[in-house]
Amino acid sequence: MITLREVSKQYKVGRDWVDAVKPTSLHVEKGQIQGIIGFSGAGKSTLLRMANLLELPTAGEVYIDGQELTGLNAGELREARRSIGMIFQHYNLLSNETCAANVEFVLKAANVPSKQRKRRVEECLEIVGLADKARQYPAQLSGGQKQRVAIARALANNPKVLLCDEPTSALDPVTTLSILEFLEKINREFQVTIMLVTHEIQVAKRLCSQIAVMEGGVITEQLDRSRPDIEP
Ligand code: ADP
Ligand code: ADP
């Protein structure tokens, strides 16, 4: 479902080039929850953001559900990204829009007709247990509730893939657990393949079927937790 083939990313900093990600590969099967763990600066976020071309790889190829994203033009990429949801550490909600409008926004961008949009917004807020908060603004919600709105937004276009960048790092342990349960439910009920970056090993152990360890811009290890003999 997700294939990163020999992707790398270099940034120019002053006169120097920094290797954020060195040529590295990762394959995630449909229905899996792939964790990426490692220390700060290891390249996790850059790797994740290359999976939907939020960061353009310096080299290498990205495939989602058999389609090579790195070969698409801008219009085709916009279309392909609709099947890739993303959530962030700091939620990235529009603060002057209601929860419902935050979710509806991505449906509008996908040219979904108004009546269908309203129905889908309701469904998505229902899935994350926030149907009653539709008309509230992000500032009126707790951190966990904001992340649930972000999950509802990410689900709106029925994605095949959900990319999660430190989704619980701003949350307390109890709220973290509830967000992980929602991610698990989305994976199970809607067969959404998940790739999740975290520096919190407990989060990865709680949620992920596979855990890749990143160090110095490369994946150094891939642990398959569905095989109990190598349970980390
Ligand atoms: P992680 O998510 O594991 O903390 P990142 O992917 O954010 O790691 O960053 C990997 C490395 O790339 C770090 O050294 C970081 O400073 C560098 N880096 C990330 N983004 C940029 C950027 N936009 N410009 C320059 N360097 C960057
Ligand atoms: P950080 O990792 O520092 O918290 P974020 O992940 O919150 O940063 O956001 C990084 C960048 O991604 C921002 O510049 C934001 O505008 C952009 N961004 C946020 N959400 C989306 C989205 N759904 N699609 C494309 N770009 C986005």
Side-chain angles (χ1 to χ4, degrees), residues 161-203:
V161 168
L162 179 61
L163 306 177
C164 309
D165 195 352
E166 299 277 3
T168 60
S169 299
L171 303 173
D172 65 73
V174 174
T175 309
T176 290
L177 199 59
S178 115
I179 292 298
L180 297 182
E181 281 166 1
F182 278 110
L183 294 177
E184 220 160 35
K185 168 177 156 175
I186 284 153
N187 168 257
R188 199 178 49 238
E189 288 184 19
F190 309 111
Q191 285 81 50
V192 176
T193 305
I194 295 179
M195 187 166 158
L196 172 140
V197 159
T198 182
H199 66 278
E200 301 168 296
I201 180 74
Q202 294 310 329
V203 165

Short mmCIF file of all heavy atoms in Angstrom, two decimals, residues 161-203:
data_model
loop_
_atom_site.label_atom_id
_atom_site.label_comp_id
_atom_site.label_asym_id
_atom_site.label_seq_id
_atom_site.Cartn_x
_atom_site.Cartn_y
_atom_site.Cartn_z
N VAL A 161 -4.88 5.57 3.15
CA VAL A 161 -3.69 5.70 3.98
C VAL A 161 -3.86 6.89 4.93
O VAL A 161 -4.40 7.92 4.53
CB VAL A 161 -2.44 5.93 3.08
CG1 VAL A 161 -1.24 6.36 3.89
CG2 VAL A 161 -2.13 4.67 2.27
N LEU A 162 -3.42 6.71 6.17
CA LEU A 162 -3.41 7.81 7.12
C LEU A 162 -1.99 7.99 7.65
O LEU A 162 -1.41 7.06 8.20
CB LEU A 162 -4.38 7.51 8.28
CG LEU A 162 -4.47 8.56 9.39
CD1 LEU A 162 -4.96 9.91 8.85
CD2 LEU A 162 -5.41 8.08 10.50
N LEU A 163 -1.44 9.18 7.46
CA LEU A 163 -0.10 9.50 7.94
C LEU A 163 -0.23 10.30 9.24
O LEU A 163 -0.97 11.28 9.28
CB LEU A 163 0.66 10.34 6.90
CG LEU A 163 0.74 9.74 5.49
CD1 LEU A 163 1.45 10.71 4.55
CD2 LEU A 163 1.47 8.39 5.51
N CYS A 164 0.46 9.86 10.28
CA CYS A 164 0.33 10.49 11.60
C CYS A 164 1.71 10.96 12.08
O CYS A 164 2.60 10.14 12.28
CB CYS A 164 -0.23 9.50 12.61
SG CYS A 164 -1.73 8.65 12.08
N ASP A 165 1.85 12.27 12.25
CA ASP A 165 3.13 12.84 12.66
C ASP A 165 3.08 13.23 14.13
O ASP A 165 2.52 14.28 14.46
CB ASP A 165 3.47 14.05 11.79
CG ASP A 165 4.93 14.47 11.92
OD1 ASP A 165 5.64 13.92 12.79
OD2 ASP A 165 5.37 15.36 11.16
N GLU A 166 3.60 12.39 15.00
CA GLU A 166 3.60 12.64 16.45
C GLU A 166 2.19 13.01 16.95
O GLU A 166 2.01 14.03 17.63
CB GLU A 166 4.59 13.75 16.81
CG GLU A 166 6.05 13.46 16.46
CD GLU A 166 6.78 12.61 17.51
OE1 GLU A 166 6.15 12.19 18.52
OE2 GLU A 166 7.97 12.35 17.31
N PRO A 167 1.18 12.20 16.64
CA PRO A 167 -0.21 12.62 16.90
C PRO A 167 -0.57 12.75 18.37
O PRO A 167 -1.56 13.39 18.70
CB PRO A 167 -1.04 11.50 16.25
CG PRO A 167 -0.15 10.31 16.29
CD PRO A 167 1.23 10.84 16.05
N THR A 168 0.23 12.15 19.25
CA THR A 168 -0.12 12.19 20.67
C THR A 168 0.93 12.91 21.51
O THR A 168 0.82 12.95 22.74
CB THR A 168 -0.31 10.76 21.24
OG1 THR A 168 0.93 10.03 21.08
CG2 THR A 168 -1.41 10.01 20.52
N SER A 169 1.92 13.50 20.86
CA SER A 169 3.04 14.06 21.63
C SER A 169 2.67 15.29 22.44
O SER A 169 3.39 15.66 23.36
CB SER A 169 4.20 14.39 20.69
OG SER A 169 4.62 13.20 20.07
N ALA A 170 1.54 15.93 22.11
CA ALA A 170 1.13 17.10 22.88
C ALA A 170 0.05 16.73 23.91
O ALA A 170 -0.52 17.61 24.54
CB ALA A 170 0.61 18.18 21.94
N LEU A 171 -0.20 15.42 24.07
CA LEU A 171 -1.33 15.00 24.90
C LEU A 171 -0.88 14.25 26.16
O LEU A 171 0.19 13.62 26.16
CB LEU A 171 -2.26 14.11 24.07
CG LEU A 171 -2.79 14.75 22.78
CD1 LEU A 171 -3.55 13.71 21.95
CD2 LEU A 171 -3.67 15.95 23.08
N ASP A 172 -1.73 14.28 27.18
CA ASP A 172 -1.42 13.53 28.41
C ASP A 172 -1.66 12.03 28.15
O ASP A 172 -2.28 11.67 27.16
CB ASP A 172 -2.29 14.04 29.56
CG ASP A 172 -3.75 13.77 29.31
OD1 ASP A 172 -4.16 12.58 29.41
OD2 ASP A 172 -4.50 14.70 28.96
N PRO A 173 -1.15 11.17 29.05
CA PRO A 173 -1.21 9.71 28.80
C PRO A 173 -2.62 9.15 28.62
O PRO A 173 -2.82 8.28 27.76
CB PRO A 173 -0.56 9.11 30.06
CG PRO A 173 0.31 10.19 30.59
CD PRO A 173 -0.35 11.48 30.25
N VAL A 174 -3.59 9.65 29.36
CA VAL A 174 -4.95 9.11 29.25
C VAL A 174 -5.55 9.49 27.90
O VAL A 174 -6.14 8.67 27.19
CB VAL A 174 -5.85 9.61 30.41
CG1 VAL A 174 -7.29 9.17 30.21
CG2 VAL A 174 -5.31 9.09 31.75
N THR A 175 -5.37 10.76 27.53
CA THR A 175 -5.88 11.22 26.23
C THR A 175 -5.15 10.51 25.09
O THR A 175 -5.76 10.14 24.08
CB THR A 175 -5.70 12.75 26.11
OG1 THR A 175 -6.25 13.35 27.28
CG2 THR A 175 -6.41 13.30 24.89
N THR A 176 -3.85 10.31 25.26
CA THR A 176 -3.05 9.58 24.27
C THR A 176 -3.69 8.22 23.99
O THR A 176 -3.89 7.84 22.84
CB THR A 176 -1.61 9.39 24.78
OG1 THR A 176 -0.97 10.65 24.76
CG2 THR A 176 -0.82 8.42 23.91
N LEU A 177 -4.03 7.53 25.06
CA LEU A 177 -4.61 6.20 24.91
C LEU A 177 -5.92 6.26 24.12
O LEU A 177 -6.17 5.42 23.25
CB LEU A 177 -4.84 5.58 26.30
CG LEU A 177 -5.01 4.08 26.32
CD1 LEU A 177 -3.79 3.38 25.74
CD2 LEU A 177 -5.24 3.60 27.75
N SER A 178 -6.73 7.26 24.39
CA SER A 178 -8.01 7.37 23.69
C SER A 178 -7.78 7.66 22.20
O SER A 178 -8.47 7.10 21.34
CB SER A 178 -8.92 8.38 24.38
OG SER A 178 -9.19 9.48 23.57
N ILE A 179 -6.80 8.49 21.88
CA ILE A 179 -6.50 8.77 20.46
C ILE A 179 -6.00 7.48 19.78
O ILE A 179 -6.41 7.16 18.66
CB ILE A 179 -5.46 9.90 20.32
CG1 ILE A 179 -6.06 11.24 20.78
CG2 ILE A 179 -4.94 10.00 18.88
CD1 ILE A 179 -7.25 11.73 19.98
N LEU A 180 -5.16 6.72 20.48
CA LEU A 180 -4.64 5.47 19.90
C LEU A 180 -5.78 4.50 19.64
O LEU A 180 -5.79 3.78 18.64
CB LEU A 180 -3.59 4.85 20.80
CG LEU A 180 -2.32 5.70 21.01
CD1 LEU A 180 -1.32 4.95 21.88
CD2 LEU A 180 -1.69 6.10 19.69
N GLU A 181 -6.78 4.52 20.52
CA GLU A 181 -7.94 3.63 20.33
C GLU A 181 -8.74 4.03 19.09
O GLU A 181 -9.22 3.17 18.35
CB GLU A 181 -8.81 3.59 21.59
CG GLU A 181 -8.20 2.65 22.62
CD GLU A 181 -8.79 2.79 24.02
OE1 GLU A 181 -9.70 3.62 24.22
OE2 GLU A 181 -8.30 2.08 24.92
N PHE A 182 -8.86 5.35 18.88
CA PHE A 182 -9.55 5.80 17.66
C PHE A 182 -8.78 5.39 16.40
O PHE A 182 -9.37 4.96 15.41
CB PHE A 182 -9.78 7.32 17.67
CG PHE A 182 -10.99 7.72 18.46
CD1 PHE A 182 -10.88 8.38 19.67
CD2 PHE A 182 -12.26 7.40 17.99
CE1 PHE A 182 -12.00 8.73 20.40
CE2 PHE A 182 -13.40 7.74 18.72
CZ PHE A 182 -13.26 8.41 19.93
N LEU A 183 -7.45 5.51 16.46
CA LEU A 183 -6.64 5.13 15.28
C LEU A 183 -6.78 3.63 15.01
O LEU A 183 -6.88 3.20 13.85
CB LEU A 183 -5.17 5.52 15.50
CG LEU A 183 -4.90 7.03 15.56
CD1 LEU A 183 -3.42 7.30 15.84
CD2 LEU A 183 -5.34 7.73 14.27
N GLU A 184 -6.79 2.86 16.09
CA GLU A 184 -6.96 1.41 15.97
C GLU A 184 -8.31 1.06 15.32
O GLU A 184 -8.40 0.22 14.44
CB GLU A 184 -6.92 0.81 17.38
CG GLU A 184 -6.19 -0.48 17.50
CD GLU A 184 -5.79 -0.70 18.96
OE1 GLU A 184 -6.57 -0.31 19.88
OE2 GLU A 184 -4.70 -1.25 19.18
N LYS A 185 -9.33 1.76 15.77
CA LYS A 185 -10.69 1.54 15.26
C LYS A 185 -10.76 1.87 13.76
O LYS A 185 -11.35 1.14 12.98
CB LYS A 185 -11.66 2.42 16.06
CG LYS A 185 -13.06 2.53 15.49
CD LYS A 185 -13.95 3.35 16.40
CE LYS A 185 -15.12 3.95 15.62
NZ LYS A 185 -16.07 4.67 16.48
N ILE A 186 -10.13 2.97 13.38
CA ILE A 186 -10.13 3.39 11.97
C ILE A 186 -9.40 2.38 11.11
O ILE A 186 -9.82 2.04 10.00
CB ILE A 186 -9.51 4.80 11.87
CG1 ILE A 186 -10.54 5.81 12.35
CG2 ILE A 186 -9.04 5.11 10.47
CD1 ILE A 186 -9.94 7.05 12.91
N ASN A 187 -8.30 1.86 11.63
CA ASN A 187 -7.54 0.83 10.92
C ASN A 187 -8.39 -0.44 10.75
O ASN A 187 -8.45 -1.02 9.66
CB ASN A 187 -6.26 0.53 11.72
CG ASN A 187 -5.55 -0.72 11.22
OD1 ASN A 187 -5.63 -1.78 11.85
ND2 ASN A 187 -4.87 -0.61 10.11
N ARG A 188 -9.06 -0.81 11.81
CA ARG A 188 -9.81 -2.07 11.81
C ARG A 188 -11.10 -1.96 11.00
O ARG A 188 -11.38 -2.78 10.15
CB ARG A 188 -10.14 -2.43 13.27
CG ARG A 188 -10.49 -3.87 13.51
CD ARG A 188 -10.74 -4.13 14.99
NE ARG A 188 -11.66 -3.15 15.57
CZ ARG A 188 -11.37 -2.36 16.59
NH1 ARG A 188 -10.20 -2.43 17.19
NH2 ARG A 188 -12.26 -1.50 17.06
N GLU A 189 -11.87 -0.90 11.26
CA GLU A 189 -13.20 -0.81 10.64
C GLU A 189 -13.16 -0.36 9.19
O GLU A 189 -14.01 -0.74 8.40
CB GLU A 189 -14.10 0.13 11.45
CG GLU A 189 -14.52 -0.50 12.76
CD GLU A 189 -15.49 0.36 13.55
OE1 GLU A 189 -16.12 1.26 12.95
OE2 GLU A 189 -15.59 0.15 14.76
N PHE A 190 -12.20 0.50 8.86
CA PHE A 190 -12.18 1.04 7.49
C PHE A 190 -10.97 0.58 6.70
O PHE A 190 -10.71 1.07 5.61
CB PHE A 190 -12.25 2.58 7.54
CG PHE A 190 -13.38 3.09 8.39
CD1 PHE A 190 -13.14 3.74 9.58
CD2 PHE A 190 -14.70 2.89 8.00
CE1 PHE A 190 -14.18 4.19 10.39
CE2 PHE A 190 -15.75 3.34 8.78
CZ PHE A 190 -15.49 3.99 9.99
N GLN A 191 -10.21 -0.37 7.26
CA GLN A 191 -9.02 -0.93 6.58
C GLN A 191 -8.06 0.16 6.09
O GLN A 191 -7.51 0.08 5.00
CB GLN A 191 -9.43 -1.84 5.41
CG GLN A 191 -9.97 -3.19 5.83
CD GLN A 191 -11.44 -3.12 6.25
OE1 GLN A 191 -12.27 -2.57 5.52
NE2 GLN A 191 -11.76 -3.65 7.42
N VAL A 192 -7.93 1.21 6.91
CA VAL A 192 -7.00 2.27 6.55
C VAL A 192 -5.59 1.86 7.01
O VAL A 192 -5.39 1.50 8.17
CB VAL A 192 -7.40 3.61 7.22
CG1 VAL A 192 -6.39 4.70 6.92
CG2 VAL A 192 -8.80 4.03 6.78
N THR A 193 -4.67 1.89 6.08
CA THR A 193 -3.27 1.60 6.39
C THR A 193 -2.67 2.84 7.05
O THR A 193 -2.85 3.95 6.56
CB THR A 193 -2.50 1.26 5.10
OG1 THR A 193 -3.18 0.19 4.44
CG2 THR A 193 -1.06 0.85 5.40
N ILE A 194 -1.98 2.63 8.18
CA ILE A 194 -1.49 3.77 8.95
C ILE A 194 0.03 3.77 9.02
O ILE A 194 0.66 2.72 9.19
CB ILE A 194 -2.09 3.75 10.39
CG1 ILE A 194 -3.62 3.95 10.32
CG2 ILE A 194 -1.43 4.80 11.28
CD1 ILE A 194 -4.32 3.91 11.68
N MET A 195 0.62 4.95 8.86
CA MET A 195 2.05 5.12 9.11
C MET A 195 2.15 6.21 10.17
O MET A 195 1.59 7.29 10.01
CB MET A 195 2.75 5.52 7.81
CG MET A 195 4.25 5.58 7.88
SD MET A 195 4.89 5.67 6.17
CE MET A 195 6.49 6.37 6.49
N LEU A 196 2.82 5.90 11.26
CA LEU A 196 2.83 6.80 12.41
C LEU A 196 4.24 7.04 12.92
O LEU A 196 4.98 6.09 13.17
CB LEU A 196 1.97 6.18 13.52
CG LEU A 196 1.96 6.84 14.89
CD1 LEU A 196 0.56 6.85 15.47
CD2 LEU A 196 2.90 6.14 15.86
N VAL A 197 4.59 8.30 13.02
CA VAL A 197 5.90 8.70 13.54
C VAL A 197 5.75 9.08 15.01
O VAL A 197 4.84 9.81 15.36
CB VAL A 197 6.42 9.92 12.74
CG1 VAL A 197 7.47 10.67 13.52
CG2 VAL A 197 6.96 9.47 11.40
N THR A 198 6.61 8.55 15.84
CA THR A 198 6.59 8.92 17.25
C THR A 198 7.97 8.77 17.88
O THR A 198 8.75 7.93 17.44
CB THR A 198 5.56 8.07 18.04
OG1 THR A 198 5.55 8.51 19.40
CG2 THR A 198 5.89 6.59 18.00
N HIS A 199 8.25 9.61 18.87
CA HIS A 199 9.48 9.38 19.64
C HIS A 199 9.13 8.62 20.92
O HIS A 199 10.01 8.31 21.72
CB HIS A 199 10.17 10.71 19.96
CG HIS A 199 9.39 11.58 20.89
ND1 HIS A 199 8.37 12.40 20.46
CD2 HIS A 199 9.46 11.73 22.23
CE1 HIS A 199 7.86 13.02 21.51
NE2 HIS A 199 8.49 12.62 22.59
N GLU A 200 7.83 8.29 21.07
CA GLU A 200 7.38 7.60 22.28
C GLU A 200 7.24 6.10 22.01
O GLU A 200 6.27 5.65 21.41
CB GLU A 200 6.03 8.16 22.74
CG GLU A 200 6.05 9.64 23.04
CD GLU A 200 4.65 10.21 23.20
OE1 GLU A 200 3.88 10.21 22.23
OE2 GLU A 200 4.34 10.67 24.31
N ILE A 201 8.20 5.33 22.49
CA ILE A 201 8.21 3.90 22.23
C ILE A 201 6.93 3.21 22.71
O ILE A 201 6.43 2.29 22.05
CB ILE A 201 9.47 3.23 22.87
CG1 ILE A 201 9.51 1.73 22.63
CG2 ILE A 201 9.60 3.50 24.36
CD1 ILE A 201 9.85 1.32 21.24
N GLN A 202 6.37 3.70 23.82
CA GLN A 202 5.14 3.07 24.36
C GLN A 202 3.98 3.21 23.38
O GLN A 202 3.13 2.32 23.27
CB GLN A 202 4.75 3.69 25.71
CG GLN A 202 5.75 3.41 26.83
CD GLN A 202 6.12 1.93 26.95
OE1 GLN A 202 5.31 1.04 26.66
NE2 GLN A 202 7.34 1.65 27.38
N VAL A 203 3.92 4.33 22.70
CA VAL A 203 2.87 4.57 21.71
C VAL A 203 3.00 3.55 20.58
O VAL A 203 2.03 2.91 20.17
CB VAL A 203 2.95 6.03 21.17
CG1 VAL A 203 2.13 6.19 19.90
CG2 VAL A 203 2.48 7.00 22.24
#
